[in-house]
Amino acid sequence: MAANQTAIRILIVEDEYLVALYLEDLLTEMGHRVLYSASRINEALHLARTCEIDFAVLDVNLAGTQSFTVAQVPGHSFCVRDRLRKRWSPRRISARNGLAKTV
């Protein structure tokens, strides 16, 4: 990261532990700060609403529950990750500042 850039404060919402760990390592190596990680929707919503984060990485399917409600919390940007693109609809997230990408 360049000296004049500020580290982004990140929330990871992922129910697969090893994937969450990989994302945390990757983002930390890029110079960002992963402040929180959540594996359940209630925990993710609480963190998104109450903590100062800049960005959230969202797994669409959290143990059978879709995480789009986290993307609707105002005040941060997000990206959506999912192995099966057919699980999400871009219309549901188009009104927010987000990026949908299969990782």
Side-chain angles (χ1 to χ4, degrees):
M1 177 176 288
N4 62 345
Q5 292 180 333
T6 303
I8 297 172
R9 299 168 298 184
I10 298 174
L11 164 65
I12 295 174
V13 180
E14 171 61 63
D15 61 345
E16 294 182 36
Y17 178 73
L18 292 178
V19 174
L21 214 59
Y22 170 75
L23 289 170
E24 183 173 351
D25 287 344
L26 179 68
L27 293 165
T28 301
E29 285 179 20
M30 293 172 66
H32 303 298
R33 294 174 42 210
V34 175
L35 298 182
Y36 308 99
S37 185
S39 61
R40 298 290 179 254
I41 194 70
N42 289 341
E43 179 185 18
L45 281 169
H46 174 73
L47 291 169
R49 289 176 178 147
T50 61
C51 299
E52 290 190 33
I53 60 170
D54 301 311
F55 192 80
V57 178
L58 307 176
D59 180 0
V60 170
N61 183 4
L62 289 179
T65 303
Q66 293 189 336
S67 65
F68 293 113
T69 53
V70 178
Q72 295 169 347
V73 174
H76 61 273
S77 298
F78 64 93
C79 75
V80 176
R81 68 159 298 278
D82 192 16
R83 288 184 296 267
L84 301 174
R85 237 177 219 278
K86 63 184 179 183
R87 289 187 189 164
W88 60 270
S89 167
R91 291 180 302 239
R92 295 187 70 180
I93 60 175
S94 63
R96 293 277 298 128
N97 184 15
L99 166 69
K101 178 172 176 64
T102 302
V103 177

